[in-house]
Amino acid sequence: MLGVENIHYTGKLNRPVAQFGRAPVSKTGGWGFESLLACYWINMILELKRFLRQVKEELKKVIWPTRELTIGTTFVVLLLVFIVSIFLGVVDIALSKIIRFIIG
């Protein structure tokens, strides 16, 4: 596995740390070793592969709706949008007439 098992990871950011307790380089904060940076990116790629594998497994568990269910649900949503828009239009007209009557 390209030597990733020889690097220890600590901290919240999963930063690579030298195995023999070296002090970090002051300007780089411990990121000064090119070999450790390479291992960091290898670890990120491995984590991405693991994540995508888990996504694929979870998608197999999804129960997808049938075509009839999708069409029926879409019809209900469109009908409710139409009804609510008519209701809001009537309320808007009524409130406009009330405001015009009050203002003059």
Side-chain angles (χ1 to χ4, degrees), residues 13 16 18 21-22 25 30 33 36 40-42 45-46 49 54 61 70 73-75 83 87 94 101:
L13 296 176
R22 296 181 196 165
V25 177
F33 302 107
L36 293 179
Y40 173 77
W41 289 111
I42 290 171
I45 291 171
L46 294 175
K49 284 182 179 180
Q54 289 175 349
K61 298 176 186 177
T70 304
T73 305
T74 303
F75 177 74
I83 291 170
F87 172 75
F101 177 75

Side-chain angles (χ1 to χ4, degrees), residues 43-59:
N43 184 42
M44 293 298 288
I45 291 171
L46 294 175
E47 289 292 324
L48 178 64
K49 284 182 179 180
R50 190 176 117 242
F51 172 75
L52 292 175
R53 195 175 315 116
Q54 289 175 349
V55 167
K56 185 178 176 182
E57 290 173 12
E58 288 297 321
L59 283 175

